[in-house]
């Protein structure tokens, strides 16, 4: 069974640009969550999508957005990039909302560097 | 709101020594608790989880954790450290209702000395 796949793994952007990251969840998983990981702030929850709807949202500015497609694949977008957006962006998937464990399965992440 | 606090950002042990990584939680509803491990340049891998069944939970690689409601703790232990255990460890909490808004602690970096 394939795991969570994130693309691209590494990317470099300059301030003011925008970036789109992609996540393919484990087959059969309908929930996709996104996290930002930085040395200073640790793992911070961005948002969670379930059945194409944003179900939960963390405390990030509107420059951070996401969406989920009918096949459960998800993308997140960051517009008007700032130096502080440099981070490892992790995607995690889980089964549907009736799951009784809430366990998350993580991808290897997309490392974004903003110059 | 749920949260976890990991005590100690860095822990160093000798190979063969006991590993103890501390985690305290705060939750207004019955929690699910997790320990994840992250190796360099990789995502997070689940070590073990507590889901209101047995309070002593056994995970992979010889790790275990005990849920103590009275102390609001979920500390991670391993009797004998191995060099391959060197990594960053994260405690996390979510709620019983399958809400995937999982919150993570700041992480503890474990170093294992030969």
């Amino acid at each position: 069974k394939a795991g969570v796949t994130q693309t691209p793994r590494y990317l470099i952007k300059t301030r003011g640009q925008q970036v789109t990251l992609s996540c393919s969840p484990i087959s059969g998983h309908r929930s996709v969550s996104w996290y930002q990981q930085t040395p200073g702030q640790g793992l911070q929850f961005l948002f969670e999508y379930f059945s194409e709807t944003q179900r939960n949202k963390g405390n990030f500015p509107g420059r951070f957005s996401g969406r989920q497609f009918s096949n459960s694949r998800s993308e997140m977008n960051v517009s008007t990039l700032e130096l502080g957006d440099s981070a490892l962006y992790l995607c995690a998937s889980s089964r549907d909302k009736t799951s009784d464990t809430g366990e998350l399965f993580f991808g290897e992440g997309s490392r974004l560097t903003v110059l | 709101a749920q949260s976890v606090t990991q005590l100690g950002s860095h822990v160093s042990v000798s190979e063969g020594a006991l590993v103890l990584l501390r985690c305290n939680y705060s939750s207004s509803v019955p929690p699910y608790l997790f320990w994840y491990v992250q190796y360099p340049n990789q995502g997070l891998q689940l070590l073990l989880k507590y889901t209101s069944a047995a309070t002593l939970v056994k995970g992979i690689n010889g790790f275990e954790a005990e849920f103590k409601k009275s102390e609001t703790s979920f500390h991670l232990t391993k009797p004998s450290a191995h060099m391959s255990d060197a990594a960053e460890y994260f405690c996390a909490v979510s709620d019983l209702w399958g809400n995937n808004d999982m919150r993570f602690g700041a992480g503890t970096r474990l170093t294992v000395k030969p």
Side-chain angles (χ1 to χ4, degrees):
Chain A
K1 194 173 188 181
V4 177
T5 304
Q6 292 189 244
T7 56
R9 288 291 315 278
Y10 301 91
L11 66 166
I12 300 174
K13 294 285 187 178
T14 57
R15 281 185 300 173
Q17 287 187 311
Q18 74 165 13
V19 65
T20 298
L21 309 177
S22 178
C23 173
S24 294
I26 291 172
S27 178
H29 285 193
R30 296 164 61 191
S31 170
V32 173
S33 302
W34 287 91
Y35 288 82
Q36 182 195 63
Q37 186 178 24
T38 60
Q41 300 297 319
L43 276 156
Q44 292 188 286
F45 174 74
L46 280 156
F47 29 65
E48 184 229 355
Y49 286 86
F50 176 79
S51 292
E52 303 179 66
T53 301
Q54 187 181 86
R55 187 164 63 168
N56 293 295
K57 187 177 188 307
N59 188 27
F60 276 82
R63 299 186 298 108
F64 292 81
S65 63
R67 59 178 175 169
Q68 187 179 34
F69 302 96
S70 58
N71 62 357
S72 294
R73 190 177 69 85
S74 177
E75 289 181 346
M76 67 162 284
N77 184 276
V78 187
S79 62
T80 319
L81 284 166
E82 301 176 358
L83 295 178
D85 297 333
S86 294
L88 180 66
Y89 290 87
L90 291 165
C91 167
S93 73
S94 68
R95 288 179 296 207
D96 64 27
K97 66 187 298 183
T98 58
S99 166
D100 62 353
T101 66
E103 178 181 343
L104 297 181
F105 296 82
F106 283 83
E108 293 189 311
S110 293
R111 183 165 295 280
L112 170 66
T113 302
V114 182
L115 302 176
Chain B
Q2 308 158 88
S3 66
V4 289
T5 302
Q6 291 183 242
L7 302 176
S9 59
H10 290 89
V11 170
S12 181
V13 300
S14 298
E15 192 173 18
L18 170 72
V19 176
L20 171 61
L21 305 182
R22 301 177 187 272
C23 173
N24 288 89
Y25 71 90
S26 172
S27 179
S28 57
V29 297
Y32 283 147
L33 293 161
F34 306 82
W35 277 99
Y36 282 85
V37 62
Q38 186 179 34
Y39 298 100
N41 297 314
Q42 292 188 23
L44 277 68
Q45 178 185 2
L46 181 69
L47 275 177
L48 50 80
K49 60 187 177 187
Y50 166 76
T51 58
S52 74
T55 56
L56 182 61
V57 181
K58 295 188 184 298
I60 62 172
N61 301 337
F63 284 94
E64 64 181 37
E66 186 172 7
F67 174 74
K68 292 187 176 180
K69 186 177 180 179
S70 61
E71 299 177 8
T72 61
S73 69
F74 189 59
H75 301 331
L76 181 70
T77 60
K78 181 174 181 178
S80 177
H82 192 272
M83 297 296 291
S84 61
D85 295 327
E88 187 141 23
Y89 292 80
F90 294 91
C91 182
V93 62
S94 67
D95 65 57
L96 265 181
W97 315 120
N99 186 336
N100 293 332
D101 180 13
M102 187 178 288
R103 302 293 174 157
F104 287 82
T108 298
R109 182 167 299 280
L110 176 66
T111 301
V112 181
K113 299 175 291 186

